[in-house]
Amino acid sequence: MKKKLISAVLCAAMAASMVIPAAAEEATADFAGEELSILVSAGWMDNRYDDTIARFEETYDVTVDLQTIPADQYSDLLQSRLATDSCSDIFWIQSDPFAIASQIVDPEKYCIDFTDEEWVSVMPETRIPACSYDGKVYGLQIWHNSPEYVMVYNKTLFEELNLEVPTTYEELKSVCEAIAAEGITPWFMPGADGWQHQLAFFQIGGVYAAAEEGLYDKLNNNEATFAGNETMLTVLEQFKELSDLGYFGEDWIGTDSTNMVNEFGDRNCAMALANSSYIKQIQEETGTTDEFGLFLEPLADNSYFPTNAAGPTMFGYAGTEHPELVKEFFKFVCTTESLQEILDNSPSYTNLDVTDENLEQHWLPEEEEFMATITDEQKQYGVLQTSTKYTNDYWMQFGQDMVAYCTEQMDAETVLENMDINRATAAGVVGDSAWE
């Protein structure tokens, strides 16, 4: 009896093993020959997704058309595609709790509703607001949880020059002076990228919020402005002073970040605003034996951590001819295998901010050491760009105005006034009653 029972079980198992692949083959065959188009800004996917996309193509016998657009052109192109009902099957935006309303404007028209999809649970609760509008989930945000755009510095070089980590602006200036005297660029600033240099202004939102009680709420209710904000003016003035002193490097406005890893590895620069896990990239790609560390950007004597539960976010286009294939791609990306690929293939990120406990994270000792020094009080304020309405929508324009200010074509007050004008324009488009 036992032998007959075992035999029967084995036969059933074999039959099941034959049925499962057949069912899977039938399911995937439904998409055979289809093409999935993805519109994304440079830097948001890169080669991190290459292996996952290749597996998706092979699994479903489809083609993925990845359309990567330069950052300074992306927003205008996306808006044009949405306005003409000609968008790619999947598109991305830099999202935060306010961005869907201001950038997509009408998500019910343009976005696939993913509220009831199982993969939504892969995102932690802190990221859901940046993916939602009016109680519905429209986006998928897979981003890291590292300290984001803090000061990465060459710890070995600092020790050799007997330099202490600066905690105030005056200390930062002194450190820059000592480093520049060695023929080394103190603070590498890639102005030509068009989006990086304004991080120096926006990442220290805590220093603005702490200086004026309720500032974020006031900005979001149109009860305060950027113009006339003394702390913001101070930051712009200090930024320009560092530029005038040459501490960002010769022709920083015309320099991009392409070679920043080698600049660190060759000791041509000592500091830069970067994601903390950038240290991994420097060490792996240059082979340097120097050690690196992290500290908070001290413009305006800032001491606040850049808390930011926002990031590049993927949406399904409601007008797609392949809605089920789009849904399958989102589901596919959220599997443990795909998440691990995305993390492992990242040149710099050491972790993903997801709920999947099976994911093997790669936190750096430098990240863990730095975060151990940060208190809850220092984390209490979000970064300026994602804590205030319509601000992040004009990221590129603000960066252009900063360059104009540093080249004597505009004064600091006008830089701030222009942001107020732009935010009011965006508020008008979505009908924000606070601006009526």
Side-chain angles (χ1 to χ4, degrees):
M1 289 293 293
K2 288 185 177 178
K3 288 184 178 179
K4 289 183 179 180
L5 179 59
I6 292 172
S7 178
V9 171
L10 286 173
C11 287
M14 289 176 65
S17 68
M18 293 173 66
V19 171
I20 292 171
E25 183 178 346
E26 183 179 345
T28 58
D30 292 343
F31 303 116
E34 293 187 22
E35 180 176 280
L36 183 74
S37 57
I38 302 176
L39 186 69
V40 63
S41 178
W44 292 351
M45 291 184 80
D46 292 341
N47 61 356
R48 294 192 290 279
Y49 284 78
D50 285 356
D51 287 352
T52 302
I53 288 174
R55 271 197 313 108
F56 184 77
E57 290 179 317
E58 182 178 358
T59 301
Y60 296 99
D61 190 21
V62 297
T63 301
V64 175
D65 176 23
L66 185 60
Q67 304 164 11
T68 303
I69 310 301
D72 60 348
Q73 302 172 27
Y74 183 75
S75 180
D76 289 342
L77 178 62
L78 174 60
Q79 294 306 318
S80 174
R81 294 274 186 91
L82 291 174
T84 57
D85 296 323
S86 60
C87 196
S88 302
D89 301 313
I90 293 172
F91 65 92
W92 292 63
I93 68 169
Q94 178 74 22
S95 196
D96 59 60
F98 309 112
I100 294 178
S102 60
Q103 292 187 46
I104 302 176
V105 181
D106 190 354
E108 292 185 347
K109 175 182 178 181
Y110 294 118
C111 302
I112 295 175
D113 181 359
F114 292 121
T115 305
D116 296 326
E117 298 292 330
E118 290 185 10
W119 57 256
V120 170
S121 63
V122 168
M123 295 186 290
E125 288 296 324
T126 53
R127 298 214 173 254
I128 296 296
C131 303
S132 304
Y133 176 82
D134 198 22
K136 296 180 180 179
V137 177
Y138 291 106
L140 169 61
Q141 187 176 111
I142 297 175
W143 202 232
H144 59 86
N145 200 27
S146 295
E148 191 172 59
Y149 293 106
V150 292
M151 298 298 288
V152 173
Y153 77 104
N154 188 317
K155 183 185 293 187
T156 303
L157 178 62
F158 267 54
E159 291 173 353
E160 291 174 1
L161 298 178
N162 295 315
L163 298 174
E164 298 289 334
V165 168
T167 59
T168 67
Y169 175 66
E170 289 303 321
E171 290 175 0
L172 176 65
K173 263 206 316 182
S174 297
V175 164
C176 288
E177 181 180 11
I179 294 170
E182 300 295 320
I184 299 170
T185 297
W187 183 347
F188 187 90
M189 187 69 66
D193 284 12
W195 63 269
Q196 293 214 41
H197 58 282
Q198 52 270 59
L199 286 163
F201 178 86
F202 288 106
Q203 287 295 105
I204 54 174
V207 78
Y208 310 126
E212 182 177 340
E213 185 176 355
L215 176 64
Y216 284 173
D217 286 339
K218 292 176 184 176
L219 287 169
N220 289 332
N221 292 310
N222 195 27
E223 297 168 353
T225 60
F226 278 53
N229 186 294
E230 291 301 323
T231 310
M232 293 182 185
L233 282 170
T234 294
V235 170
L236 287 176
E237 290 165 358
Q238 291 177 351
F239 184 93
K240 185 176 186 300
E241 182 177 26
L242 295 176
S243 174
D244 291 343
L245 291 170
Y247 293 158
F248 294 153
E250 186 177 351
D251 186 31
W252 68 267
I253 294 171
T255 300
D256 63 31
S257 61
T258 305
N259 202 40
M260 189 161 74
V261 166
N262 291 325
E263 291 293 296
F264 266 110
D266 295 337
R267 283 197 174 191
N268 291 330
C269 70
M271 301 177 287
L273 268 178
N275 291 312
S276 60
S277 48
Y278 192 75
I279 293 171
K280 166 191 168 186
Q281 194 172 349
I282 298 170
Q283 294 170 332
E284 290 184 353
E285 294 187 18
T286 70
T288 179
T289 58
D290 285 350
E291 294 184 358
F292 295 83
L294 307 162
F295 65 90
L296 297 171
E297 178 199 329
L299 293 188
D301 299 346
N302 170 64
S303 62
Y304 290 95
F305 181 82
T307 301
N308 188 11
T313 306
M314 183 166 61
F315 295 81
Y317 178 49
T320 177
E321 295 180 359
H322 314 286
E324 295 307 315
L325 184 59
V326 170
K327 292 178 182 179
E328 199 66 27
F329 183 78
F330 278 69
K331 179 181 176 182
F332 191 85
V333 165
C334 290
T335 62
T336 300
E337 182 177 2
S338 295
L339 293 172
Q340 196 68 61
E341 279 177 338
I342 293 167
L343 176 57
D344 293 348
N345 289 331
S346 170
S348 57
Y349 302 134
T350 62
N351 64 90
L352 293 179
D353 191 18
V354 294
T355 61
D356 189 340
E357 296 181 353
N358 295 316
L359 187 68
E360 182 183 347
Q361 306 278 17
H362 309 308
W363 289 94
L364 296 177
E366 293 90 344
E367 292 179 301
E368 294 176 325
E369 179 184 353
F370 173 65
M371 290 308 298
T373 69
I374 303 298
T375 66
D376 288 341
E377 181 181 357
Q378 289 174 292
K379 298 177 184 176
Q380 66 179 299
Y381 301 112
V383 295
L384 180 62
Q385 67 269 29
T386 58
S387 297
T388 54
K389 292 180 179 177
Y390 319 120
T391 301
N392 203 45
D393 301 351
Y394 296 96
W395 183 268
M396 301 300 288
Q397 292 90 329
F398 192 89
Q400 293 165 4
D401 287 350
M402 285 181 70
V403 169
Y405 169 52
C406 288
T407 53
E408 310 291 346
Q409 301 174 63
M410 184 182 293
D411 60 33
E413 187 65 24
T414 302
V415 174
L416 300 179
E417 289 172 354
N418 284 348
M419 177 56 86
D420 291 327
I421 293 170
N422 287 332
R423 292 178 70 239
T425 298
V429 170
V430 300
D432 192 318
S433 59
W435 271 263
E436 292 178 355

